[in-house]
Amino acid sequence: MSIYQDIGLKRVINSCGRVTILGVSTLSDEVAEAAVAGGQSYVVIEDLINRAGEIISEYTGGEDSCVASCASAAICLTVAGLISKGKKSIMDRLPDSKGVPNEIILQKGHSIEFGAPISTMLRLGGGVPIEVGTVNEIIPEDIEEAINEKTVALLYVKSHHSVQKGMVDIETMIEIAHRHDLPLIIDAAAEEDFRKYIAMGADLVVYSGAKALEATTSGFVTGKKEYIQYAKKQYHGIGRPMKIGKEGIMGLLKALDLYENKDMKKEVEENLAKVQYLCEEINKIPGLKAIQIQDEAGRAIYRTRIMVDPTVSDKKIGEINKELRAGDPIIYCRAEFLNQGQLDFDPRPLCEGDKELIVSRLKELMKG
Ligand SMILES: *Cc1c(COP(=O)(O)O)cnc(C)c1O
């Protein structure tokens, strides 16, 4: 029994991924212990934020880092910092940024929704999102011509949520930003490489703590010292309602330490085995067809994709999804390609016995 069942909620089989609607990820004992220990003593919070920034930077290669309550908060603090540049008179009136440079340029195909619109996070920090190009095609001139004296930064969103084709790449974005003396921010919230984008020359890179790191609910921005100082200052302004607790910070630092020594190859192999099990077993169910797919953003994440064979069954894929979510335990898979008749099962968050339960539930549903 989980603590959630104790208060009358259904158990969840998460085959969706590290998603906010299901609590993102679960804590290892070591991360949980660090969070508990962190919560049981006092500390000078400003010193903790500064020290955490130094420690995070050892894992990213950034000059400094600013810890945050989540990646969305880190985006907001970053933008507020770039707009106020440490000036208290501006900080004190954010998100009202009238009269000072406040425009953030991003490609139209990057203006994503990850449970909330990214443009909301920019606005919350006083930013004005300037979307350029079209949803399926953008050229460097679209970005160049949008830059003016009100521009404070360019933003690149590295994510499977973004449109993948027809966009201007990171290298070009960095080149354009630097030629205009502007910083490039990369939202890499769900990415698994914490050094790559700093090494490429990005000025500020945002990560989520609970996604790849499987840390306590947290996030951070890492990069150029000057900009990071501006972001940290926001904790005395717009950052206050998004503060991260000491327990969350200590959980994040422990997770970073564990991540460095994680056997990624073994984990990918274990997940692939789960994907193959699901494919094999689901292909035995009359009316269903299952295949192995790889993550759209090219990460080493494999999933099982299922479809209904209309020559065998007239069951609708949408019905299957609804029924999976209505049962007990609740089964959540990825429904982002439901309109194309597909449901995707992510093996990574599955616990012992979950994959067998998924197969038996699908069997029942196809019979019924
Ligand atoms: C998940 C995600 C976010 C938000 O991260 P939180 O830590 O939940 O705030 C932002 N951007 C992208 C690309 C994401 O995938």
Side-chain angles (χ1 to χ4, degrees), residues 20 70-73 75 112 114 157-159 161 187 189-190 208 211 218:
T20 287
C70 59
S72 310
I75 294 168
I112 59 163
F114 49 71
V157 182
K158 176 74 183 107
S159 168
H161 294 302
D187 173 4
S208 185
K211 289 183 178 169
S218 58

